[in-house]
Amino acid sequence: MIHVTTTCPDRHSAERLARAALAEHVTACANIIEGVRSLYHWQGEIAEDTEVMVIFKTSDAACAALVAFLEAEHPYDVPVITWERLETTKDAADWLARETH
């Protein structure tokens, strides 16, 4: 299982990305977490925002396609997209393989 994580400016854009990624079968599940407080450098200043985090669950085979999809569809000029490989059960791995391509 691979978790691909990004943040969005609001719930609407997070849900739009999640639903579109599901429709494209590049993710099997998306968890949306509201109320993430972010502080970051942007254009020479320290910015602060409340964002919405999205954690996509995908397979090895679909990870590159999901990342490319997010880069193309993300509302931010410079979206931060990270991913990590996680251990999971055989049943969960089988589900991911069936739902993504």
Side-chain angles (χ1 to χ4, degrees):
M1 177 183 291
I2 298 178
H3 277 186
V4 178
T5 304
T6 193
T7 54
C8 294
D10 54 46
R11 181 178 168 182
H12 174 76
S13 61
E15 288 184 4
R16 183 188 62 78
L17 277 180
R19 289 182 187 282
L22 286 161
E24 292 290 321
H25 290 274
V26 293
T27 191
C29 175
N31 302 116
I32 297 173
I33 304 166
E34 295 186 68
V36 174
R37 191 75 185 142
S38 298
L39 290 87
Y40 54 94
H41 287 279
W42 186 248
Q43 298 177 343
E45 297 181 17
I46 295 177
E48 296 182 43
D49 283 306
T50 299
E51 296 181 294
V52 177
M53 181 180 288
V54 187
I55 303 169
F56 297 90
K57 292 178 174 74
T58 195
S59 62
D60 279 334
C63 184
L66 174 58
V67 171
F69 168 84
L70 292 174
E71 288 177 315
E73 299 298 324
H74 204 287
Y76 286 159
D77 293 337
V78 183
V80 175
I81 302 164
T82 61
W83 57 94
E84 62 182 330
R85 182 169 281 104
L86 302 168
E87 297 295 321
T88 192
T89 64
K90 180 180 181 330
D91 288 344
D94 291 346
W95 168 69
L96 286 166
R98 282 192 312 272
E99 298 300 327
T100 60
H101 43 74

